[in-house]
Amino acid sequence: MSQTDADAVVVPAIGTGGSLSVIRSLGDAGYTTIAVSEQTDPPSFSSRYCDRRVRVPSPETDLGAYAEALLTLADDDAVGTIVPIREPDVHVLAAHRKEFADRIGVLWPTADRLNAIHDRTRLFAHAERAGVAVPETMPLDEVDDWDKERIVKARYAILTDDVVDSVPAGTVRAPPKTVFLEPGDEPDIEQLTESMGHVPITQAYVDGTEYCFRGLYHEGEAIVTTQKKLVRGYKYPRGPSIYHEAVDDPALEAAGRALLDELDYHGLASVGFIRDDSGTFNLLEINPRVPSSLPMDIHAGVDYPRYFWQLATTGAIADEPAYRPGTASHLLRGEAVHLHSVLREEYPLATRPSVVLTGYNIVRSLIEEPHFDYLSVDDPRPFIRDLTNTARSVLSQT
């Protein structure tokens, strides 16, 4: 549906740099930004670029009511599109794709394509057809050799009653955290299956550096692409990215494009890989929505939110991006969490780095690459709100 006369965008407001970057980018471009959230004070609500703040039901507890709230907003002729920020957003948008397509510009996959991404067994089968490397993967209850380093993780990227019987109808759950197994460490399969809510998968552990290929696709065609290297994660073994660098690697580009081409993708996606010692990029997952580290791409000259708006409302982008590999960005509170991880935590399959060297690298990178996910002189309040929310959360747990 063409939305060339619309000037408003709906953005779920949650505590990620991706959500805030969409608000800032499109607000700065002159569009009306409508931030929706079930949270009390998400950082995006504090942005000078946030025009409207709308309370909505939580998708975690009522997917149907959340979908109705978004459809009601989409009924407004001024609204051109909705930008999915997290998995429940894209799940709802895909499940009601036809209804949204009658109202606004749709730039996200169909329900079947989304299921092929969220179901890691199906995703890895697509990867193999596309010639993309995948770590040895199998259902946990089929393993008969525990003499190698393995990880155990959920088969599904999100849990709903469609795939897991224990999840109440109309709700969504995040899967449990990945479990790391040392050689010879045979897990309690029954207990893990019960905690996951389904038979999880196990993979051979791949040591290396995490990368992401970003692609904004329109009906199976790559329109804009970028790449990210995870320099530091929340935890020293990796975890969500908190210091990220824009890179340009032809092999990463080829692997990311091959997989999204195989899926005939539509929308914005971030494809995660681990590059091993041989230089091979091994598939981790696909996040079929705005990545949390999106500020890095914008600092590197690629304004995905504007391109998303243009594709969703007109089917084309107005100009070519000026990509600047080598640009990096920090999540400042994440740097503190990373340092705490090095100081206090132990992880199997990962060697603890030097505290002194870690501190030195953090300070040096802050000086050399003073770009940030939240902190902005032009728009400081979301950074302050994010710190306040984090402090409240920490204090509530003590």
Side-chain angles (χ1 to χ4, degrees), residues 212-290:
C212 288
F213 169 82
R214 325 271 218 214
L216 182 60
Y217 270 63
H218 189 264
E219 302 295 349
E221 179 185 359
I223 307 300
V224 181
T225 67
T226 56
Q227 301 169 20
K228 182 197 85 171
K229 176 183 178 181
L230 186 153
V231 183
R232 282 188 293 276
Y234 267 104
K235 307 297 184 179
Y236 67 79
R238 283 193 294 260
S241 178
I242 54 94
Y243 179 50
H244 12 265
E245 179 186 357
V247 296
D248 184 10
D249 187 310
L252 176 59
E253 180 86 10
R257 281 180 177 262
L259 182 54
L260 293 181
D261 287 351
E262 157 70 20
L263 289 165
D264 195 28
Y265 196 72
H266 185 68
L268 177 59
S270 181
V271 188
F273 295 93
I274 293 291
R275 188 177 71 177
D276 61 27
D277 291 339
S278 73
T280 300
F281 286 95
N282 299 269
L283 178 65
L284 290 175
E285 62 186 1
I286 296 179
N287 292 319
R289 38 77 175 171
V290 169

Side-chain angles (χ1 to χ4, degrees), residues 385-397:
R385 171 51 57 190
D386 180 58
L387 290 183
T388 302
N389 289 351
T390 300
R392 286 176 177 171
S393 177
V394 170
L395 289 173
S396 70
Q397 297 173 19

